[in-house]
Amino acid sequence: MAVNSRKIAVYVLVVFVLYVIITDPAKAADYVQIGFEGISDAANALGDFATWVANGGDS
């Protein structure tokens, strides 16, 4: 039953994404840009943390 629920959730998500892309491509592009900016910010934060740890955790 869980596998079927998972498949349905993925199917609904794919249909929603296609709907947004078809009906408003500019807004879809904005969503993609926001997502990549979030990933970039997270990677920068991890890099800052790794640098902090490598420096011995000094403030």
Side-chain angles (χ1 to χ4, degrees):
M1 180 86 173
V3 175
N4 291 335
S5 299
R6 189 175 184 186
K7 285 182 181 180
I8 291 170
V10 169
Y11 178 73
V12 169
L13 181 65
V14 168
V15 169
F16 175 73
V17 168
L18 289 174
Y19 172 77
V20 170
I21 291 171
I22 291 169
T23 59
D24 195 356
K27 188 175 253 187
D30 289 340
Y31 290 150
V32 171
Q33 183 176 2
I34 290 169
F36 280 123
E37 286 175 2
I39 292 169
S40 176
D41 290 345
N44 285 332
L46 284 173
D48 291 343
F49 176 72
T51 301
W52 178 77
V53 169
N55 290 333
D58 295 332
S59 296

